[in-house]
Amino acid sequence: MNCHKAEMMINDYLNETLSMSDLEAFIQHIRSCPACFEELETYVMIHYTLDVLDNDKVITETDFHKLLENDLARHEEEIANVKRRRRLFSFSIVLVEIIMVITLWLHYKGEPDKTLPQQIVTVMREESRFHWGPLS
Protein backbone atom coordinates (compact mmCIF):
# COMPACT_ATOMS: atom_id res chain seq x y z
CA MET A 1 0.00 0.00 0.00
CA ASN A 2 1.26 3.48 -0.77
CA CYS A 3 0.86 6.65 1.29
CA HIS A 4 -1.82 8.14 -0.95
CA LYS A 5 -4.03 5.06 -0.64
CA ALA A 6 -3.49 4.97 3.14
CA GLU A 7 -4.50 8.64 3.43
CA MET A 8 -7.66 7.92 1.43
CA MET A 9 -8.57 5.18 3.94
CA ILE A 10 -8.17 7.26 7.12
CA ASN A 11 -11.83 8.26 7.35
CA ASP A 12 -12.95 4.67 6.78
CA TYR A 13 -10.54 3.58 9.51
CA LEU A 14 -11.88 6.19 11.94
CA ASN A 15 -15.48 5.21 11.11
CA GLU A 16 -14.55 1.52 11.38
CA THR A 17 -15.87 0.67 7.93
CA LEU A 18 -12.76 -1.00 6.46
CA SER A 19 -12.95 -4.65 5.51
CA MET A 20 -10.72 -6.97 7.50
CA SER A 21 -8.20 -7.29 4.64
CA ASP A 22 -8.12 -3.52 4.02
CA LEU A 23 -7.76 -2.90 7.75
CA GLU A 24 -4.81 -5.29 7.94
CA ALA A 25 -3.06 -3.66 4.96
CA PHE A 26 -3.79 -0.18 6.34
CA ILE A 27 -2.34 -0.99 9.78
CA GLN A 28 0.73 -2.61 8.24
CA HIS A 29 1.36 0.56 6.25
CA ILE A 30 0.70 2.86 9.22
CA ARG A 31 3.09 0.82 11.37
CA SER A 32 5.84 1.02 8.74
CA CYS A 33 5.43 4.65 7.61
CA PRO A 34 6.16 7.36 10.21
CA ALA A 35 4.66 10.10 8.00
CA CYS A 36 1.33 8.27 7.65
CA PHE A 37 1.33 7.38 11.35
CA GLU A 38 1.73 11.08 12.18
CA GLU A 39 -1.03 11.99 9.70
CA LEU A 40 -3.36 9.42 11.25
CA GLU A 41 -2.49 10.69 14.72
CA THR A 42 -3.59 14.19 13.66
CA TYR A 43 -6.87 12.82 12.32
CA VAL A 44 -7.41 10.83 15.53
CA MET A 45 -6.93 13.99 17.56
CA ILE A 46 -9.47 15.89 15.43
CA HIS A 47 -11.93 12.98 15.36
CA TYR A 48 -11.71 12.47 19.14
CA THR A 49 -12.08 16.18 19.88
CA LEU A 50 -15.10 16.56 17.58
CA ASP A 51 -16.70 13.47 19.14
CA VAL A 52 -16.23 14.99 22.61
CA LEU A 53 -17.71 18.32 21.51
CA ASP A 54 -20.63 16.79 19.55
CA ASN A 55 -21.68 14.51 22.38
CA ASP A 56 -21.05 16.84 25.33
CA LYS A 57 -18.45 14.49 26.74
CA VAL A 58 -15.55 15.34 29.00
CA ILE A 59 -12.08 14.97 27.53
CA THR A 60 -10.57 12.00 29.31
CA GLU A 61 -7.55 11.37 27.10
CA THR A 62 -5.02 13.93 25.93
CA ASP A 63 -2.24 11.58 24.89
CA PHE A 64 -3.36 11.00 21.31
CA HIS A 65 -0.29 8.93 20.49
CA LYS A 66 -1.29 6.48 23.23
CA LEU A 67 -4.92 6.61 22.10
CA LEU A 68 -3.89 5.70 18.54
CA GLU A 69 -1.51 2.96 19.70
CA ASN A 70 -4.28 1.39 21.80
CA ASP A 71 -6.73 1.56 18.90
CA LEU A 72 -4.23 0.00 16.47
CA ALA A 73 -3.45 -2.74 19.00
CA ARG A 74 -7.18 -3.44 19.44
CA HIS A 75 -7.63 -3.78 15.67
CA GLU A 76 -4.54 -5.99 15.37
CA GLU A 77 -5.97 -8.27 18.05
CA GLU A 78 -9.31 -8.43 16.19
CA ILE A 79 -7.50 -9.38 12.97
CA ALA A 80 -5.51 -12.08 14.80
CA ASN A 81 -8.72 -13.47 16.33
CA VAL A 82 -10.46 -13.62 12.95
CA LYS A 83 -7.47 -15.43 11.45
CA ARG A 84 -7.44 -17.92 14.35
CA ARG A 85 -11.18 -18.58 13.94
CA ARG A 86 -10.76 -19.12 10.19
CA ARG A 87 -7.88 -21.56 10.72
CA LEU A 88 -9.86 -23.42 13.37
CA PHE A 89 -12.91 -23.62 11.10
CA SER A 90 -10.80 -24.90 8.18
CA PHE A 91 -9.14 -27.47 10.44
CA SER A 92 -12.56 -28.57 11.72
CA ILE A 93 -13.88 -29.07 8.19
CA VAL A 94 -10.87 -31.15 7.21
CA LEU A 95 -11.16 -33.19 10.40
CA VAL A 96 -14.87 -33.89 9.76
CA GLU A 97 -14.08 -34.95 6.18
CA ILE A 98 -11.35 -37.33 7.39
CA ILE A 99 -13.69 -38.82 9.99
CA MET A 100 -16.39 -39.31 7.36
CA VAL A 101 -14.01 -41.08 4.97
CA ILE A 102 -12.67 -43.34 7.73
CA THR A 103 -16.20 -44.12 8.91
CA LEU A 104 -17.29 -45.03 5.39
CA TRP A 105 -14.19 -47.12 4.87
CA LEU A 106 -14.73 -49.01 8.14
CA HIS A 107 -18.43 -49.44 7.45
CA TYR A 108 -17.99 -50.79 3.92
CA LYS A 109 -14.59 -52.45 3.93
CA GLY A 110 -16.39 -55.79 3.69
CA GLU A 111 -18.09 -54.76 0.42
CA PRO A 112 -15.21 -54.38 -2.06
CA ASP A 113 -17.57 -54.67 -5.04
CA LYS A 114 -19.01 -51.18 -4.31
CA THR A 115 -17.21 -48.01 -5.32
CA LEU A 116 -16.80 -45.23 -2.76
CA PRO A 117 -19.54 -43.06 -4.37
CA GLN A 118 -21.92 -46.04 -4.26
CA GLN A 119 -21.03 -46.60 -0.62
CA ILE A 120 -21.64 -42.92 0.18
CA VAL A 121 -25.06 -43.00 -1.51
CA THR A 122 -25.92 -46.18 0.38
CA VAL A 123 -24.99 -44.62 3.72
CA MET A 124 -26.92 -41.46 2.90
CA ARG A 125 -30.00 -43.51 2.04
CA GLU A 126 -29.72 -45.58 5.22
CA GLU A 127 -29.20 -42.53 7.44
CA SER A 128 -31.65 -40.21 5.71
CA ARG A 129 -35.23 -39.55 6.76
CA PHE A 130 -36.06 -38.81 3.15
CA HIS A 131 -36.94 -41.28 0.41
CA TRP A 132 -34.36 -41.42 -2.32
CA GLY A 133 -35.43 -42.47 -5.78
CA PRO A 134 -33.45 -44.85 -7.97
CA LEU A 135 -30.07 -43.69 -9.23
CA SER A 136 -30.04 -42.76 -12.89
Side-chain angles (χ1 to χ4, degrees), residues 93-111:
I93 294 297
V94 169
L95 187 60
V96 166
E97 289 172 348
I98 290 170
I99 290 170
M100 287 175 60
V101 168
I102 291 171
T103 302
L104 287 171
W105 179 76
L106 289 173
H107 189 68
Y108 285 98
K109 70 180 180 178
E111 298 182 39

Side-chain angles (χ1 to χ4, degrees), residues 9-104:
M9 298 171 83
I10 288 176
N11 280 329
D12 291 333
Y13 171 79
L14 293 172
N15 294 323
E16 298 192 9
T17 58
L18 291 175
S19 69
M20 208 45 76
S21 59
D22 285 344
L23 179 61
E24 183 175 22
F26 178 80
I27 291 174
Q28 284 176 350
H29 179 79
I30 294 298
R31 290 282 192 202
S32 66
C33 179
C36 287
F37 185 94
E38 188 176 320
E39 183 78 12
L40 179 59
E41 192 173 5
T42 301
Y43 275 86
V44 165
M45 179 179 65
I46 293 167
H47 186 80
Y48 179 79
T49 305
L50 288 175
D51 183 50
V52 166
L53 292 173
D54 286 345
N55 297 309
D56 295 327
K57 294 180 183 176
V58 175
I59 294 179
T60 58
E61 184 64 59
T62 56
D63 185 353
F64 296 105
H65 183 82
K66 179 181 171 187
L67 191 69
L68 177 56
E69 282 292 343
N70 290 341
D71 197 51
L72 290 171
R74 178 179 61 87
H75 285 298
E76 288 168 330
E77 185 62 31
E78 287 173 11
I79 292 167
N81 287 337
V82 166
K83 286 182 174 183
R84 274 193 291 275
R85 284 192 302 270
R86 285 180 183 164
R87 280 193 305 268
L88 180 61
F89 180 75
S90 296
F91 175 76
S92 300
I93 294 297
V94 169
L95 187 60
V96 166
E97 289 172 348
I98 290 170
I99 290 170
M100 287 175 60
V101 168
I102 291 171
T103 302
L104 287 171

